[in-house]
Structure formats: C-alpha cells, structure tokens
Amino acid sequence: MAPVAPQLAGPGAIAVILTIVALLQWAVWCIDRDPAFRWFGASSAITAVLAWAEGMPGPAAVVPAGAGLVIACGARIGWSVGLLAQLAWPFARRRGPLLALALPALALALAASLAGSPTWAALALVWIDLGGAVLCLGARPRRASPWVLAAGLIAAPAGLLVALAGGSDPLHLLAGYAVPAAVLSGIAQLAASLLQQSLDHRSTRAQAERMSNYYQTLTETNQAVLRIRAPAALYQAICDICVETGHAQMACLYLMRDGLARREITAGPAARILAGIPVEWDPASPSYRDSYTARALGDGQRRVCNDYQHDPLTTSWHRLAAQNGIHAMVWLPFRRGERVAAVLMLSATERDYFDAPLLQLLDRMSQDVSFALDFLASEQQRVDSMREAQASLERFSKLFQAAPVPAAIVSTRDRRVLDVNQAVCERDGLPREHFIGKATADFGFGVVPEDREVFYALVAREGRARNFLARSIDIRGRARRVLVNAEPLEYLEQACLLILVLDITELQEAEEARRAQAEAEAANRAKTQFLSHMSHELRTPLNAILGFSTILREEAAERLTPDQRVQLDHVRHAGWHLLTLIDDVLDLARIESGTIKVDARALLLPSLLDEVLDMARPLAAQLGVTLDAAHHTPPATAVRADATRLRQVLLNVLSNAIKYNRPDGGVRVRVLPTEDGDVAIEVADSGIGMTPQQLARLFEPFNRLGRERSTVEGTGIGLALSRQLMALMGGSITVDSQVEVGTQVRVHIPRAELQAIPQDTVPGALPGPAAPALPTGAVLYVEDNAVNTLLIESLFARWPGVTVHTATDGRSGIARARELVPDLVLLDMQLPDVDGLEVLRTLRADETTRRVPIVVLSASAMPGDVERALAEGANDYWTKPIAFERFLGAMAGVLGERSPPGSVRPVTASRLRGR
C-alpha cells in the first residue's frame, strides 16, 4: 500500500499547506489576540519549517530524523498548550492534562531519537492527537467548535487505522504520520475557530435582541408605573408585559390576604395551567411552607430555579411542569415599605433561562415596581391627607361659624383678620366682609388699645392666651368686660390665632350681685345669730325678773304697801315691754332673712277680734279712750290667716290707735268687704294724725317719726313688722291720716269659706284651767343656771306633792333621768357639756326614759331651734321668760295625766302649747 502522505498530496504542497495554515493562525492571533492561536501558529510554523528543511523528494524525507523528531514532538506539545487555552481551562488546572500529554510524548520521542526509528516518534504524535480529542470531547460547556476540533484530531489516527486495515505497511504509515496530522489538526482548528466565531456572532445577535427585549420590558414597565395609579392594575400590567415581551411563558402574582396566600393575578396560559390548583393557599400546609413562593413572601428575597423539573423542592409539581414544558421559574418580591406586598412568579420553557442579565433586568423591574408601590402608597396617603385636611377644614369652618361665642382668625404676622364667625356679625350687626382683611386696630371698637397690646405680648411670650380679662368698647360705644382666649393654628398656610371673645359684663354684674347678696345673707345670718344670742342673754335675766316679781306679787302682796305694789307692777310692766321689744326685733330679723313661717288657715274673724279687743281694753281704760266695736254684723266673716300673727298685727294697730289718741278720744273697729272680695278690718281713731311726710316714712323700721321725745312708749318697728307679716299671709295694710283729725288703718285679709273651719276650733282660745286636784309627781330640771333653777323650784313649791330634782349638766341629767324615771323632765338647750338635743336623743333612745314627757325651757326663741327640738322628741317648747300661770296650768295637766308606772304615755306638743 502506498504511504498516506503521498496519497494526500505532494511534498511541496504539504509544506505550502502547513505554511498557509501557520500564517492564518498567526493572522487570527494578531486580530483577536487569542493566546491559543499563538501556540497553534508557532506549532504549525515549526512543522512547516521542518517539512521545507528536509526537502522531501518522497515520503521518507518528510519524517524528521534525529533531533528533528524531538523538535516535532515539542511543537506538538506546544500545540497542546494552545488547545487547553482554547478549551478555556483554568490556568491552575492545565498542569495535569499537559503533563499527561507531554510526558509520554517526550518519552516516545527520545526513544525514537535514540533508536533512530521514526515509529516511536509517530506514536508520540498519535498519543497527543488522541489525548487532545478526548479533552475536546470532555469540554464544558458543550459547544460545537470543540467537537469540530476533536474530529480533526481523530481524522489522522482514523486514517492510519483505515490504511492499516487496508493492508498498508505499518512502519511506512507511521513514518509519514506527522505532516498529515499537522495539516488536518491545523485545518480543523481553523474550521473550529470559524464555526465558533459564527456561533458567537449568532449568540451576540441573539443577545442583542434579548437586550432589546430587556429594555423594551423596562420601558413598558416604567410607562405602566407612570401611567397606572391602582396597585391591582399595575400588577396585571407587569404580568402582561413579562409574557408579551417573551421573558416568561406564564406569570402569576401571589399576595397575602386574610392570612392566606392568594393567587390574585395571572397572565399567559397560567389560568389554564393552574386551573386545578386552588386560588388560595393555606400557609399552614406543608406544600406551602416548602415552596419558593412561601420563602419569597416570607423574607422578601428573590428566588430562582433554572432546572425546575429536577429541583427537590418542586417534586410535587414536576409532573405539571413536564406536561406544560416548564423548565425554569423565578419569584420576584414586590415591596411596599418594609413589608412584602406581593410575589411575581414567572416560568420559562428553557432550562437555565433566567441568566444573570435577565435576573438583573427582573431585579430592576422589581425595584421599579416596589418604588411605584411606595409612591402609590405615599400618593394615596397624600390624597387621603388632603381629603382629611379638606374635611377637617370644612368641619372646622362649620364649627367655627356655628360657635355661639364670637370668634375670629387673625394672622400673627400682621394682625389682620382672615375670618370671623356668624356670632361676630350678629353681635356687631356687620357683614363678614367688613372685618376680613383689616387689622384689629382699625375697627375703632373692640378691646381697648392698652389691653390689646398686653394681650399680644402675652401671646408672643406664651404662645397662647387663657381667660385674659380685658376692657372692651362695643360698636355702640358701651364699655364691656370680656374674656379673651387665643390658640395658635395654621389657616390657609399662614400662622394664625383663633381668638374667642366672651362678653362677661352681665355675668360679672350678676356675680357682683350674687356676691353682694351672699354678703347680705351672711350679714343677715350674723345679725340673726347676734339677735338670737342677745335674745338668749336678755331672756335669761328677764325670766328671773318677771318670775320672781310675779311670785313676790302673789305671795307678798299683803305685806307690801300700795306704793310698793305699784312699783312692783312697774317692774313687771317694764319687763314685759322689754320682752315685746325683743320679740318684735327677732320677728323683723326673721322676715328679712326669710326664716319666719306663717300657718295660714281658715278662722272666724269676730272671735279673734273679741280677743284682741279684750287685750286692748285695759290700755284704753288707762288712757281714757273709748273703743267702738262694730264687727259682729251678720253674717259671720271667715278669713285665711295665721291666728297668732294676725292677733299680733291687730293688737299692734289697735295699740297705736289708743296710744297716739287724745284724752276722751275714740277708736272705731269695723269689718268691711273689699272690691276684690277680700275682707278689710278698719281701725279709725280721732288722734293727733300724721303729715304726708310722716306717712311717707311710716313703715321704716325704728323710725318713730319725731315722737321719740314724747311720753308714748314705742320702738318704731311695730307697723313695719305688721306690714311684712300681712304680706306673708297674702294681705296688706293701708293708712290714711290727717293732722289733728285722726288716722284710719285698714288691714286687708283674704276671705275664707265658713265650711273650711273645723267645728271644734275656736281661734285664739287660751288653755282651760288646770285640774282641780293638786298635781303630784317627780320633776327633773336639767339647767346650769342657778337662778333659773331657783325660780322653777319656787314655782313648783306651791304644789306639795311635786318634788323637783335638778342636774347642772347634760350627762348628769341623763344619769338622773335613768335613775329616777321622773314624771316630767324640764330641759334647757344650752348646757355646759353636751347639747340639749343630744340629751333629747339619748333619753328617747333609752327604753327606760323614752316615754317620759320632756318639755324644753330655753331662752332661744328662733324657729329653727324649736323645730329641731320637737323633731328630736320634745313634747313641748317654752321660751323664756315664760308666762307662769299658763306654764303652771300646762304642767299641772301633764302631771295630772300620769299613767301607772311602766305605761306613761307622752304628751303631744299640741296639748302643751298655747302660751
């Protein structure tokens, strides 16, 4: 069989081919600066030089001999270095493959050189070619150019095997192996380079198209972000963009709602692919916890799976992915502030689809959408804030205008009025336009300038004003007192003051009136307390004076001379006159303080007038005045009045008519009907009369109208008290008088029906006489005043069967009452240790003494004291000085009505009163 080299071409052609290959390789290195082609070019150039140097006339001449074989193997080893560089082996990892190729080849080359046989050198070259082919076939990533290069490296050994199979001489074939192998590998390397450049060009163009799609996606995403204002619509637009631009097979968006992961939005075939999967995903389920969706929603980190059908985390979804050609997926979180708002899931039909550039694009898109969500949230907050601000302004305006207190909004910069409410307009009778835009100092009314400056200084110092009291002039020029309050606020983007002005002129006047009233009431109470105290202090000695003078008059009358009896009567008369004065003063004080009470009821007027006339006759007889009574003319007259108070008024009027009369004068008493249906009691005298000036001041208390120096006794308070008593009973008093002619007084009283009078009632009747039999029993008198004790002991001494026991304080009185269980307890209210009311309560609470009659003897004549004592259980209340005959008659009745021991029944107050 002919050698391989001559069959391929002639020796010169082979050298030329090697030279061309070397030049082309060097040209590629010069253009691309690929370090592999530097080694390839050097190896091809050395092989071409060896081929030319041998001057090959035949096949044997091509094979280098001696040192040429070593050079040829070295060139081939250099070519191996270039091969490792072209296959992109890391520099640190090239040592192993290079030694595996180089060491055996060098060993065979040295053996061939030493033996002078080209066979071993050819075997070294075959070893390098086969090893290089193996490296090309095992290259990663798998590309077409290494496979072409591997084919060129295998071609020479394959041709050698074919020739051997055809019966060619092995030694001859091995001797001609080097040059064809170099030619074939060089051509294969150039072809692989051209193929790789073509593939790179195509990849570059695809990458350019892909980048164009990337930027188109970003552009459409940004447009959607700028155009869309609703998050849901923005999500839908992003899903559609990712599918329509070819970056995803399908898209769906998950978000958390009501504690569940919900597939809210889909694009592409997602609705069909996920039709059998529930829209809501329970976070408690294992399938959710182990999913990429849950992880992205949980920590907000992007997740990528470029081999979905082989990922262990997606095992439960592999079948669905295989059915729909899903090979890669990515999960992109969308943030709103610090939390994950949603997760966008994209799928692709290619494995390793989501490479670094695409992920960079998707991350940027995620950031843009997150920014848009933040912007939409802040924009919504801004809109909500504006709406709330507008609503607040409207609410404030409504409240401001509806406020009942005059209010204004004033700029703090120039003190100009920005707005006033309706109350200001109504107060001043001016429209709002009159105030707005003007400074507060330009109106000519309002807070006076001095107080206005103090007010603004206070606001400047403290930022607000609370209840600032200021003087003001209203629009009518009247002086007013106002309270001014100011609070800072922002109104129409200006720093302002909300000023409220409250006119307190009437309130202040009312407060002053209340204060004056309170002071007057306090003064009245003080006066009442003073009068009560003075009454008590005066009644106590009067009780002794009247009591002992009465006892002396009765028991020592026979031992007294007529002059002494007259003197004693003067003492008693003066005492009773002083008592009357005290009672009148107290009554007047009670009326002024509003504490006096009247018990108006129906009563027969003729009977009461008879009683009053009987009481006045001794004075009339003493002064020589005739009483003419014409009040019994039928029919009988009934009036509504307090019997005691009406008796007091009539006795006062009748006494004045007698005292201010002339000797041998007369007084006429008549009962007349009035035009309004009431009753008038007319008392007309023929006395000295009064001038008009005196009539004008007739009812002034303590004004005797110039009669102070006359011999007629009086205090000047009788008529003043009478008129006020009649007013309390619904009546009145009128007076007509002429000097030296006389005076006519009419007492007007409301009429009553006769049927309203109880049949057994006799107004003004005094108690009946005491029981004929002398009373007996034990009497306990609790009193700290020795004179009063002596007086009561002297009064009861006329009854031998009555024993009087005494106690000088409350505690000893309680102890004595429990020890004696007396038939009657006489109790003073002002004791040195405890109050008389406390003694009352204690005795009424004790089973031993609760049924013993208790009669109060006190110098306090105030109605409140009487009412409190009766309320605590007193059977009766007698004020000092007492009317002794009536008192003894009442006490005789109490002691005479004693029941057997253990069955004493209390005597009611109504039976014991009537002093």
Side-chain angles (χ1 to χ4, degrees), residues 170-237:
L171 295 176
H172 184 74
L173 291 174
L174 289 172
Y177 178 80
V179 174
V183 172
L184 291 174
S185 63
I187 294 173
Q189 193 277 331
L190 289 173
S193 176
L194 292 174
L195 177 60
Q196 185 62 43
Q197 288 182 0
S198 176
L199 293 176
D200 290 343
H201 177 71
R202 185 181 301 172
S203 175
T204 301
R205 185 173 59 188
Q207 184 70 17
E209 293 177 357
R210 197 172 182 183
M211 293 305 295
S212 176
N213 289 337
Y214 291 169
Y215 291 116
Q216 180 182 355
T217 302
L218 285 177
T219 300
E220 293 183 6
T221 300
N222 291 331
Q223 290 177 353
V225 165
L226 294 174
R227 184 181 69 256
I228 300 174
R229 288 291 177 266
L234 179 61
Y235 290 150
Q236 184 66 63

Side-chain angles (χ1 to χ4, degrees), residues 152 429 437 530 635 813 850:
F530 171 76
R850 70 182 182 85

Side-chain angles (χ1 to χ4, degrees), residues 166-477:
S168 298
D169 183 8
L171 295 176
H172 184 74
L173 291 174
L174 289 172
Y177 178 80
V179 174
V183 172
L184 291 174
S185 63
I187 294 173
Q189 193 277 331
L190 289 173
S193 176
L194 292 174
L195 177 60
Q196 185 62 43
Q197 288 182 0
S198 176
L199 293 176
D200 290 343
H201 177 71
R202 185 181 301 172
S203 175
T204 301
R205 185 173 59 188
Q207 184 70 17
E209 293 177 357
R210 197 172 182 183
M211 293 305 295
S212 176
N213 289 337
Y214 291 169
Y215 291 116
Q216 180 182 355
T217 302
L218 285 177
T219 300
E220 293 183 6
T221 300
N222 291 331
Q223 290 177 353
V225 165
L226 294 174
R227 184 181 69 256
I228 300 174
R229 288 291 177 266
L234 179 61
Y235 290 150
Q236 184 66 63
I238 297 302
C239 291
D240 293 340
I241 290 170
C242 290
V243 173
E244 291 172 0
T245 55
H247 292 302
Q249 173 197 19
M250 69 170 183
C252 59
L253 184 129
Y254 287 90
L255 51 80
M256 296 299 296
R257 177 173 294 179
D258 299 330
L260 298 175
R262 180 178 177 84
R263 188 173 65 250
E264 193 75 14
I265 296 172
T266 60
R272 175 183 58 79
I273 295 173
L274 304 176
I277 301 175
V279 174
E280 293 180 343
W281 207 351
D282 187 0
S285 63
S287 61
Y288 176 83
R289 290 197 302 268
D290 297 334
S291 67
Y292 284 112
T293 305
R295 297 183 180 185
L297 280 171
D299 59 15
Q301 299 296 319
R302 183 242 297 158
R303 294 291 193 280
V304 181
C305 179
N306 270 324
D307 193 1
Y308 192 80
Q309 295 185 17
H310 298 90
D311 193 318
L313 287 178
T314 61
T315 302
S316 58
W317 309 97
H318 285 173
R319 182 177 179 182
L320 181 64
Q323 291 175 352
N324 294 279
I326 299 174
H327 288 278
M329 298 192 76
V330 67
W331 291 263
L332 302 172
F334 295 155
R335 291 181 173 274
R336 181 180 291 176
E338 296 298 325
R339 66 180 186 87
V340 179
V343 167
L344 175 64
M345 184 181 75
L346 304 176
S347 69
T349 57
E350 299 178 20
R351 192 169 57 185
D352 298 325
Y353 180 78
F354 297 104
D355 56 7
L358 181 55
L359 290 176
Q360 185 177 3
L361 164 76
L362 295 176
D363 287 342
R364 183 173 176 182
M365 181 183 70
S366 174
Q367 294 172 1
D368 291 344
V369 174
S370 298
F371 175 78
L373 293 176
D374 287 340
F375 174 76
L376 291 178
S378 62
E379 183 67 12
Q380 186 63 40
Q381 290 178 354
R382 186 185 66 82
V383 172
D384 293 343
S385 299
M386 291 182 62
R387 290 176 180 171
E388 179 62 26
Q390 183 64 28
S392 299
L393 182 60
E394 292 177 358
R395 289 194 298 270
F396 170 77
S397 179
K398 290 180 180 179
L399 292 174
F400 177 71
Q401 292 298 331
V405 179
I409 300 175
V410 178
S411 171
T412 56
R413 180 174 58 86
D414 53 12
R415 301 183 185 179
R416 293 191 177 276
V417 177
L418 302 182
D419 200 358
V420 296
N421 67 352
Q422 187 62 29
V424 173
C425 301
E426 293 175 354
R427 180 195 65 187
D428 299 330
L430 298 172
R432 292 175 62 242
E433 293 75 12
H434 179 82
F435 299 94
I436 295 176
K438 294 182 180 179
T440 54
D442 296 340
F443 293 118
F445 56 89
V447 176
V448 299
E450 297 84 359
D451 291 356
R452 183 169 58 245
E453 294 306 318
V454 174
F455 166 76
Y456 280 117
L458 174 64
V459 171
R461 183 173 63 255
E462 299 184 3
R464 55 174 45 86
R466 298 287 176 83
N467 296 331
F468 178 77
L469 183 61
R471 297 164 296 170
S472 178
I473 303 298
D474 66 9
I475 196 170
R476 299 169 185 83

Side-chain angles (χ1 to χ4, degrees), residues 562-641:
D563 291 338
Q564 290 174 332
R565 284 195 295 270
V566 171
Q567 293 170 356
L568 186 59
D569 288 339
H570 282 308
V571 171
R572 294 178 66 244
H573 177 74
W576 287 114
H577 178 70
L578 181 58
L579 180 61
T580 302
L581 174 62
I582 294 171
D583 288 339
D584 288 346
V585 171
L586 285 178
D587 283 342
L588 189 62
R590 291 169 189 163
I591 292 174
E592 291 177 354
S593 62
T595 59
I596 197 168
K597 296 179 181 179
V598 295
D599 184 15
R601 60 181 64 188
L603 54 88
L604 286 173
L605 183 59
S607 300
L608 188 140
L609 281 174
D610 286 341
E611 180 184 345
V612 172
L613 288 170
D614 289 343
M615 297 173 68
R617 280 193 177 92
L619 179 62
Q622 178 183 352
L623 297 178
V625 176
T626 303
L627 294 180
D628 179 11
H631 58 281
H632 282 283
T633 304
T637 304
V639 296
R640 182 168 296 278

Side-chain angles (χ1 to χ4, degrees), residues 14 17-18 21-22 25 40 43-48 51 72 75-76 79 125 129 152-153 156 176-189:
I14 292 176
I17 292 173
L18 281 173
V21 169
Q25 289 173 339
F40 290 150
S43 176
S44 297
I46 293 172
T47 305
R76 204 64 169 163
W79 180 89
L125 297 176
D129 288 345
L153 294 173
Y177 178 80
V179 174
V183 172
L184 291 174
S185 63
I187 294 173
Q189 193 277 331

Side-chain angles (χ1 to χ4, degrees), residues 91-105:
F91 187 80
R93 294 176 56 192
R94 295 178 188 179
R95 183 180 301 174
L98 184 60
L99 291 176
L101 292 176
L103 291 178

